[in-house]
Structures are given as C-alpha cells and as structure tokens.
Amino acid sequence: MVGSGRQRAMTVRLARRRPGPGRVRVRPRRPAGLRRWWRRIDWGRAGTITAVTAALAGLLLTGVSTLYDALVSQGELEQARQAADQETRAQALRVSYWTEYPTPYVKRLHVINSSPDPVSEADLLLSPAEAGPNHVLELPVLAPCSETVVKEEVWAGESGQGPAYGGPDRTGQPPGVVRWMAFRDRNGVVWKRDDKGLSRLSDDWTVMSVGSGDAGLHFTGVTEGDPGVLPVKQAPSCGDG
C-alpha cells in the first residue's frame, strides 16, 4: 500500500511538469548580431540627430523659398525698369529722318516727328559733300505729327551741280549723308539717332561736343517758310503707340 502511494505521488508531480495540450509557445529567437546592434544604438543621440536633420531641412526649405521670392522680385523689378525705359524712349523712337533722291542730281532730306508732342533743338550733321564742308542743319522746333522736307540747296548752295549721286564722294560715303541727328524731347531729354540706333546724351550737350572730330562745321538754321524748305506736312502716322 505504501509503495503504491509513492508511485501515485511521483505520477502526479510528473504530470504537473508536462505542459498541457495547446499550451506550448514557440518564441522566435532573434539573431545574436541583431540583438547586439539594437542595443548598441544611442537613442538619445539618435533623437538629437533627427532633430538636427529636421532643422536643416526646414532651413533648406526656407532658403529655397527666400531665393524664389528674391528671383520673383528681381524679375518684377527688371520688368518695371524696362517699362520705365520704354516710356522714356516713347517719343524719341518716333523721331527720325531719311533722304530722298528724286533724280540722280537732286536730294531732299525728310525730318519726321510722328509723336503728338513737339520736339526742340533738332540738329542734323551732314557728311562732306562735293559742294561744301561738313554741315549742321538746325531746326528749332519739329511740330507734332509733322514732316519737314529740306532741299539740298539749303546746305549745298545749289542742287543739280557736280556728279550724280550714284557714287561715293572723296570720303568714300555718298555725298551729304546724314551722320547723326540730335534733339530734345518733350521731357527735356536729349537723344542722338544715327546708323547704330537711338542713344541718350547728357542734358548739357552741344553740337560741337557731339561732332568734336568734325573741323570747320558750317551751321544753317532752318525754319518753315525759308527758301529751300518745303511746307511742313502731316506725318504719315502719329502717336506714341
């Protein structure tokens, strides 16, 4: 009886040590290297690095935004400057000249102000011609929307003399060609027009300063009604557009 009791006690203890059905838990084991890498991380320092990275990203975005705003402002400023320059040049762009050769021996100079405002102190420098030296035609006023036509005899004495205008003169240029024209616009700004285009002169300009390389300049004042000046007529077009 005693032996059978001990056997029952041992059987009970062994039974308690055995896991019951469905209670077995298999836990995956992480590689030792992975566990060691995870534990080596200094999470305090990693947080600092993350904060610094975020701050740098914010600064970068702020810098890009600031640069974009600066470029936009620069573009708007450049557009404003171009608009202001266009406005300043609006009248000067509509003042010009051209020469007419009705016959091989006749030349006429056309001076046009196709703006709705007058132009003052218009001077035109003519290159040497066979009939005389360098010459400056002075037109005190160009009326609004007007075209002034000046015959050759005004600056050359008499037209129809000398060789035909088909060939160059002794300077290698066609005789009496306009080298430049200077004038003052409605705002008092002085401009110079030549074969290179339109340029601005200083407000205290003089004919001699512009034509400093031209010795022995001859000056002729030209007004409407003078001999050799045709009646001023309406310009082909008029306006600042």
Side-chain angles (χ1 to χ4, degrees):
M1 295 294 292
V2 176
S4 60
R6 290 180 177 177
Q7 290 178 355
R8 283 195 298 271
M10 293 178 62
T11 302
V12 172
R13 283 195 289 269
L14 290 174
R16 289 178 179 175
R17 292 178 180 176
R18 297 176 182 173
R23 295 181 180 179
V24 179
R25 297 291 185 268
V26 179
R27 296 182 179 178
R29 300 185 63 184
R30 296 178 180 175
L34 180 60
R35 291 199 301 270
R36 289 193 296 270
W37 171 82
W38 185 261
R39 293 172 181 174
R40 285 199 303 267
I41 295 178
D42 187 343
W43 293 106
R45 181 176 299 179
T48 302
I49 294 175
T50 302
V52 171
T53 303
L56 290 176
L59 289 175
L60 178 61
L61 292 176
T62 302
V64 172
S65 177
T66 303
L67 177 60
Y68 176 78
D69 293 341
L71 292 176
V72 171
S73 299
Q74 183 178 0
E76 292 176 349
L77 179 60
E78 184 62 26
Q79 290 179 356
R81 288 176 178 173
Q82 291 178 359
D85 181 68
Q86 189 68 19
E87 176 64 23
T88 301
R89 298 163 64 92
Q91 184 186 24
L93 290 171
R94 302 192 68 86
V95 179
S96 60
Y97 58 84
W98 63 284
T99 51
E100 174 191 14
Y101 299 88
T103 72
Y105 295 93
V106 175
K107 179 177 63 181
R108 293 173 182 171
L109 174 62
H110 296 248
V111 185
I112 301 174
N113 173 23
S114 60
S115 74
D117 295 293
V119 170
S120 61
E121 302 178 28
D123 296 310
L124 297 97
L125 176 65
L126 306 181
S127 67
E130 65 282 327
N134 297 351
H135 209 104
V136 175
L137 294 181
E138 298 180 319
L139 291 81
V141 178
L142 299 179
C145 304
S146 66
E147 180 175 1
T148 303
V149 183
V150 183
K151 294 182 179 180
E152 180 190 11
E153 52 261 35
V154 172
W155 70 87
E158 184 178 352
S159 62
Q161 296 181 349
Y165 289 128
D169 64 1
R170 62 181 179 275
T171 67
Q173 298 178 338
V177 170
V178 179
R179 295 172 53 185
W180 52 256
M181 173 184 180
F183 57 93
R184 192 179 298 272
D185 69 9
R186 61 193 170 203
N187 296 318
V189 179
V190 183
W191 301 92
K192 176 185 176 184
R193 180 182 291 280
D194 56 18
D195 56 359
K196 297 179 181 179
L198 187 67
S199 59
R200 185 169 177 172
L201 299 177
S202 62
D203 293 340
D204 59 350
W205 79 284
T206 64
V207 173
M208 293 304 299
S209 65
V210 176
S212 58
D214 302 292
L217 287 176
H218 286 211
F219 293 81
T220 298
V222 178
T223 59
E224 184 178 2
D226 288 348
V229 181
L230 301 181
V232 176
K233 61 180 181 179
Q234 182 77 19
S237 63
C238 186
D240 282 340

